[in-house]
Each structure stands twice: as structure tokens, then as C-alpha cells.
Amino acid sequence: MEAVKKISVTKKINHWLLTISFLVLLFTGIGFAHRIVSWINAFFSSTYFASEIHKWGGVIFGFTLLFSIGSYLVTSLRFGGDDVRDGDRSRKANVPPQGRLSLGQKLFYLTLLVLGLAIVVSGFILWLPNSSRGLLQLGLIVHNVAFMALIVTLPFHVYLVIAANPGTYRIVTHTTAPFKWAKKRYTKRVKKPGVD
Amino acid sequence: MGDMKNPSSNDFIGSRKGLLISPELCIACRGCQTACKEWNNLPAERTKNRGSHENPPDLSQNLYNKIRFVEVAGNKGFEWLFISQRCMHCGDAGCLSVCPAPGAITRNELGAVVFNKEKCTACKLCRAACPFDIPRFDEDGRISKCHLCQDRTENGLLPACAKGCPTGAIRYGDRVDLMERATKAGYKTLYGSTDLAGMGAMYAFKELPEYYGFDSSPSIPASVALWKSILKPLVVIGLGASVVAAAAHYVTSGPKVNEKNKVNEKTEEEGDK
């Protein structure tokens, strides 16, 4: 099967580190936020150990987020005529030719980046040993509002990758996509088999 | 013992012990600070001269009770007031209600808000939720504050601060008795008698609370109430709604299929017919 390489191995590893660290943060974080599910933290030995995992998991999440900037930020900030046509829902039947990222992917990345950085920075404020009460209160609100927005957005990302667009998931497992499949979706970018 | 979780229950009100602090009787000897450190085995802190006798400058992991120096130019001329700053052991305690770790912050049978470092997750929500900005944290980020000498009072002894006070500025006993005592003594304001469902540390003031640097109507910070009452439920609702929306889209639209495959499927269906 002819294939096209969509992402590098480094980006693949970064994506999985981001995913795994997010899941660890999600489960430990929910364990902290709701007493009714505080038993989740028993999986991490103790609540205190779970909080340590949450902090250092946040550090990994933050670094992977920063790494992703080099990969996706510039592309995500470039909006062209096809992106505008892609966003026009009345013309949805004729999806315009796409480059490396579609409009939805660009917007999702920018949303993830802003919310993720807000969570990381506010989490760091909550972690600092001598943050004032006012700073703690601000950090608490930012951390939770950003988390709320992120957790509402993420199921759509997971759904689109795994269920709605069969074949997309393969990119983060194999780093490649079938040439014909990729050419159809990323018409402007994919011209021939090989490296995208 | 009775219902110590409900601040409005008769068991809670009847059995609750507390402190009565009278700033006008305090001579700033800081015997209470020293006794507290001594009993709780808290080391001394190296501090810098800030041009004030108030020392250390703030509560810390090693200072549960601090004498705050207040200079006031009031109706009676200049006054130098000395006020014990510590956990107020609120009846409606923000720290207790917001703490996500079961058993980390609890109320003991005498009504004091106590803590268990082993169960603390170091999230610091307790400080964000405290109307008086009291909790501090050790090197590991775990809570540290006055526990009303839990190990002494539960064995019938006075808290170290009350025991060490030479002037009677800090008294310990049944809350109801202490309130009666202050009323009979003619104090104008009994701060903490009713606010936040009654505090375990009450102040007998001759002037209004603001005169001593206290908020006249303390409350749990709005940001914490917003987080606890609105944001936390919204997260659950929002997550559920987005999962349902994704599932609904899958059921109604199905996965995206290449045109070629669609043609093949159509052909096969027609062939079956």
C-alpha cells in the first residue's frame, strides 16, 4: 500500500506523552475535585502521592504543549480563502481543498493551546509554596474554567479521530496514512506518496 | 457525641468549646506565641527587623498564633492594640467545606477545625476558601494552622495559648459560658458569636470590629463559592453533553466514508436486491 508520512516519530511521541499526561492529570484532578470519586487516588498509592503525580504530570503536559507550538502554531495561524469557504456551513457539501490542517483542526489546536497553557500556568500558581490568597483564588478559577472548556472540547476531537473519520487514528499510531486517503483529504498538500 | 457536622444543630451549639480573646487585656508579651510553639514543637524563625515589635511578621507553617500589632488614632487618642491572629474555627468553615480530601480537615468533638497532614493533598484550596486567610503550608505544601491544641483539649487541658496567657486575654471554655461572661463584662461587640455559624475563636471588642482591623461581616470568598457551586457541576454537565452530542452525530450521520467506497457499497446493495 502506498503511504504518505504525515508526522515525524518525534511528533508522534510528543502526542502520546501529551495524551497520557492529560489522562493522568484528568483522573488525579477529578479525584481531588470531587470527594465522591476521591477513591480514584487510591490507584496512585495515596492522595498525597496522587497530588505529586498531578504536579509533575502537569510539567510533562506543559512541555509537550510547548513542543507542539513548533509543530502546529504557525500553520494554525494561517487562514486562507479555503479556510473561509470551509467555515461557511451553507457550502459544507463542497468541502474546499485542504492543506496540512483543516479549519477545524487549526481552531482545535489554538483552543487546546490557549486552554492548556492557562491550565499549566494557573496550576503552577497553585503549586507555588507562598502564593497569596488572592493569587490562589485567581489560579483556582482560571484552572477550573480552562479545564471545563477543555473537557467539553476534547470529546469531539476524540470522536472525530476515532469514529467520525476512520483512518485518521492511524496517523498517531503509524505516523503514516494511505496515500489515496491522504490525497483526498489534504489535496493541496499531498501530491505523491512519501513524506508529507 | 452529637451531630458536629451541622453547625445549626443543638448538639453542635451545646457541646462546642472555644476561645474568648480580649485585645484590651493583652500586653503583647507573646507568651501565647511561645507556648504554642513550645507545645506544638514548632521551631523559631529567623526574621529581619522591620521597624516593628510585631514579630514574626506573618503566620507560617511554624507559627499558628501571632500577636498582631495595630496602631489606631481613635476617639481616645492613639492606641496600640495587640490582637491574637489564628484560625477562627468557624462553624461554617470554608476550608472544611472546600477540602477535597476526605479526612484532611475535620471538626473534632469539641468544635475545633483540625487537620490530618497525612491525608492532605497539598491543593491549597483551604487558604483560598478561608475568610481570614489563615492556613499556611509546610515544605510539602501540606496544611499547617492552629488546631486549638487538639491533643490537649481532648484530654481536658487548656490550649497552650490560654494556659500561657498571664492576663486572661485568652480564655478557653464552653462557648455559651464565654459569651455570657463577655456580655456581663459589658463588651460592645462579641465578634464571632454568630458570624459564619459562630466561630470557635471569639473576640470581645470595646469598639466596632473595623477598629481592630477585622471585617465586620466575614464570609467565604465568592470565587470559591463559584467554583464549588457552579463550575464543578458544570464540568460534569458539559462533559456529558459533549459526549452525548458526539454520539448523536455518529448515530445520525455515521462515519465519513470516501466517495469511492460509497459507490462500492451502493453497488453491493443493489446487487443484493
Side-chain angles (χ1 to χ4, degrees):
Chain A
M1 180 187 70
E2 288 183 320
V4 60
K5 195 170 179 64
K6 283 294 294 172
I7 58 170
S8 67
V9 175
T10 316
K11 285 177 188 171
K12 171 184 157 180
I13 293 171
N14 191 66
H15 187 276
W16 282 110
L17 278 174
L18 184 77
T19 307
I20 293 166
S21 61
F22 175 79
L23 288 174
V24 169
L25 290 167
L26 175 68
F27 285 113
T28 48
I30 287 175
F32 298 142
H34 299 272
R35 282 193 193 195
I36 198 167
V37 287
S38 61
W39 51 266
I40 289 175
N41 290 325
F43 289 118
F44 299 95
S45 171
S46 68
T47 48
Y48 181 73
F49 193 59
S51 78
E52 290 296 298
I53 291 174
H54 191 78
K55 290 169 188 168
W56 291 105
V59 172
I60 295 171
F61 180 77
F63 275 114
T64 53
L65 211 53
L66 289 176
F67 182 84
S68 75
I69 287 176
S71 309
Y72 300 111
L73 184 60
V74 174
T75 312
S76 297
L77 287 172
R78 280 188 187 143
F79 294 100
D82 287 332
D83 290 316
V84 175
R85 281 188 287 280
D86 195 10
D88 183 356
R89 300 199 62 82
S90 62
R91 297 160 60 95
K92 202 68 185 171
N94 299 316
V95 178
Q98 293 170 2
R100 189 173 157 219
L101 297 175
S102 69
L103 175 67
Q105 288 170 319
K106 287 176 183 176
L107 292 177
F108 173 75
Y109 176 72
L110 293 174
T111 306
L112 170 74
L113 186 64
V114 170
L115 297 176
L117 289 178
I119 290 176
V120 170
V121 172
S122 57
F124 191 64
I125 289 171
L126 296 172
W127 187 359
L128 286 174
N130 296 313
S131 294
S132 68
R133 186 178 67 150
L135 210 53
L136 286 173
Q137 288 168 343
L138 179 68
L140 176 69
I141 291 296
V142 172
H143 205 65
N144 286 282
V145 168
F147 170 70
M148 187 180 74
L150 189 63
I151 202 66
V152 170
T153 312
L154 274 176
F156 294 108
H157 173 64
V158 175
Y159 165 66
L160 289 170
V161 170
I162 294 177
N165 293 299
T168 315
Y169 183 71
R170 181 193 157 96
I171 296 171
V172 285
T173 55
H174 294 68
T175 71
T176 59
F179 172 65
K180 286 182 181 173
W181 180 94
K183 192 173 186 305
K184 183 166 183 59
R185 279 172 169 69
Y186 307 98
T187 316
K188 288 199 288 188
R189 178 92 176 180
V190 178
K191 303 292 182 194
K192 58 182 180 180
V195 179
D196 177 14
Chain B
M1 196 56 84
D3 182 7
M4 296 304 287
K5 289 183 178 173
N6 180 6
S8 60
S9 78
N10 289 332
D11 288 329
F12 182 82
I13 295 166
S15 61
R16 204 171 163 199
K17 305 272 187 185
L19 292 173
L20 180 66
I21 299 165
S22 312
E24 271 81 5
L25 298 180
C26 180
I27 56 171
C29 69
R30 286 171 287 192
C32 54
Q33 276 186 205
T34 314
C36 175
K37 274 183 172 287
E38 192 70 29
W39 179 258
N40 290 296
N41 203 20
L42 302 171
E45 295 169 68
R46 186 175 290 278
T47 57
K48 288 181 180 173
N49 187 339
R50 301 174 299 120
S52 168
H53 290 291
E54 183 179 314
N55 188 53
D58 194 13
L59 293 172
S60 72
Q61 58 163 315
N62 294 319
L63 189 68
Y64 296 168
N65 162 45
K66 192 199 87 170
I67 296 300
R68 184 162 55 87
F69 286 44
V70 180
E71 295 174 12
V72 189
N75 299 332
K76 293 177 284 183
F78 176 78
E79 275 200 280
W80 206 13
L81 300 167
F82 313 116
I83 301 156
S84 169
Q85 182 187 3
R86 58 171 63 243
C87 174
M88 308 292 256
H89 301 278
C90 310
D92 179 14
C95 60
L96 187 55
S97 65
V98 82
C99 178
I105 301 178
T106 53
R107 189 183 301 286
N108 75 2
E109 293 179 341
L110 300 172
V113 178
V114 299
F115 59 88
N116 181 347
K117 283 198 184 217
E118 295 300 314
K119 294 183 177 176
C120 176
T121 61
C123 67
K124 302 191 178 79
L125 290 182
C126 50
R127 187 171 181 187
C130 176
F132 302 97
D133 191 16
I134 296 298
R136 297 293 187 270
F137 308 97
D138 63 18
E139 296 84 358
D140 294 332
R142 302 197 222 201
I143 186 170
S144 188
K145 71 170 192 72
C146 163
H147 48 82
L148 218 51
C149 284
Q150 178 184 14
D151 43 355
R152 290 177 61 87
T153 50
E154 287 177 359
N155 290 291
L157 298 172
L158 290 173
C161 57
K163 179 80 174 173
C165 179
T167 64
I170 301 178
R171 292 183 186 277
Y172 179 79
D174 289 329
R175 260 187 104 251
V176 177
D177 294 344
L178 291 171
M179 284 193 277
E180 283 178 8
R181 187 185 182 117
T183 308
K184 280 180 187 170
Y187 282 100
K188 189 174 178 178
T189 307
L190 189 52
Y191 189 77
S193 59
T194 55
D195 289 313
L196 295 162
M199 300 175 202
M202 296 176 292
Y203 290 78
F205 290 152
K206 289 186 174 174
E207 305 291 338
L208 291 172
E210 290 85 351
Y211 191 74
Y212 302 84
F214 280 81
D215 183 353
S216 59
S217 52
S219 60
I220 296 172
S223 60
V224 174
L226 171 74
W227 173 70
K228 192 167 183 283
S229 308
I230 298 174
L231 290 181
K232 275 172 73 173
L234 266 183
V235 167
V236 178
I237 294 167
L239 176 61
S242 55
V243 169
V244 168
H249 182 266
Y250 188 78
V251 171
T252 54
S253 303
K256 192 174 182 181
V257 196
N258 287 339
E259 291 302 318
K260 192 180 174 185
N261 294 346
K262 274 186 182 171
V263 171
N264 289 344
E265 282 170 15
K266 199 176 174 184
T267 311
E268 283 168 13
E269 279 172 14
E270 284 171 353
D272 291 341
K273 286 175 189 172

